[in-house]
Amino acid sequence: NYRLAESELMRILAEIEPSALFLSAEFAESAAGSATLTPPPRVVYVGEEPVPGADGYEQLLEAATSWDAEPACGRDDLLSIMYTGGTTGGSKGVMQEHGGWLISVQSEIAAVGFGQERMLAAMPLFHVGVIHPLCVLACRGQVVLHERVVLDDILDTIERDRITMTVLLPTSVGEMQRLFEQRPRDVSSL
């Protein structure tokens, strides 16, 4: 969650004891305290800008010599820990198992009727909103990520990449309508 204060992030990292921490250069300073954890996680940067002391994700992929295709986990094994918003005190980690996520993805696919979508994901992926991109990927679709909700950029991406679905807040949709009226774009793929 990029909205966390550094102290909140360090509390969560100390609590979950990650073996690896993936980040972009933008968040390197916020995560610098992770080096003080015992044991410290392996830091891997994603993106073009290197992070001092971190391994590059693309370089690690290039250096990989094999891929174990057999699942290393079962349905009851931990998949993720999502933290609550802390509305009733400090945020709390909610442990989620592989089987639960699998059922959620399968149910959402059946309910929505996903095909091979081209989804624009502009909302944060650190909460349950990650379910839609997972469904699209499970159906062999494509997900285009935006790091920030910049509505003009979203409209441009919908037109350029022929996006077939996205999930936005109602206030964003209303503002997009105003921007669309100022500078129309072809959004017929939605």
Side-chain angles (χ1 to χ4, degrees):
N1 182 341
Y2 62 86
R3 294 181 182 141
L4 293 174
E6 186 176 344
S7 61
E8 294 172 302
L9 177 62
M10 288 305 110
R11 179 186 65 81
I12 289 170
L13 291 175
E15 207 171 87
I16 62 173
E17 299 177 355
S19 58
L21 181 60
F22 290 78
L23 51 79
S24 63
E26 177 182 3
F27 301 106
E29 188 175 323
S30 299
S34 67
T36 64
L37 297 172
T38 306
R42 180 180 197 171
V43 179
V44 179
Y45 73 87
V46 178
E48 300 296 320
E49 189 178 344
V51 173
D55 297 313
Y57 178 75
E58 294 296 329
Q59 291 77 16
L60 291 173
L61 283 180
E62 288 173 13
T65 57
S66 68
W67 182 267
D68 183 3
E70 290 298 316
C73 59
R75 295 175 72 85
D76 295 333
D77 291 328
L78 182 66
L79 172 73
S80 66
I81 303 174
M82 291 206 172
Y83 276 76
T84 65
T87 54
T88 60
S91 63
K92 297 163 197 69
V94 179
M95 297 189 298
Q96 300 171 329
E97 299 168 343
H98 282 265
W101 270 101
L102 182 60
I103 290 169
S104 294
V105 167
Q106 290 171 336
S107 298
E108 188 76 9
I109 288 170
V112 175
F114 286 91
Q116 287 191 336
E117 306 291 342
R118 185 172 289 130
M119 180 184 190
L120 170 63
M123 301 296 291
L125 300 177
F126 56 76
H127 58 71
V128 75
V130 74
I131 193 78
H132 295 104
L134 290 175
C135 292
V136 169
L137 293 172
C139 292
R140 298 182 179 194
Q142 297 174 341
V143 176
V144 176
L145 297 174
H146 273 222
E147 290 186 24
R148 302 269 186 265
V149 177
V150 178
L151 299 177
D152 258 329
D153 293 347
I154 288 172
L155 284 167
D156 291 341
T157 301
I158 292 168
E159 179 178 51
R160 181 188 64 241
D161 295 340
R162 308 300 302 153
I163 298 297
T164 60
M165 74 175 297
T166 190
V167 176
L168 296 166
L169 295 174
T171 53
S172 295
V173 174
E175 180 64 14
M176 281 177 64
Q177 177 66 33
R178 187 185 67 74
L179 292 169
F180 180 81
E181 290 168 0
Q182 290 175 351
R183 185 167 61 97
R185 278 150 274 194
D186 180 2
V187 295
S188 61
S189 58
L190 280 177

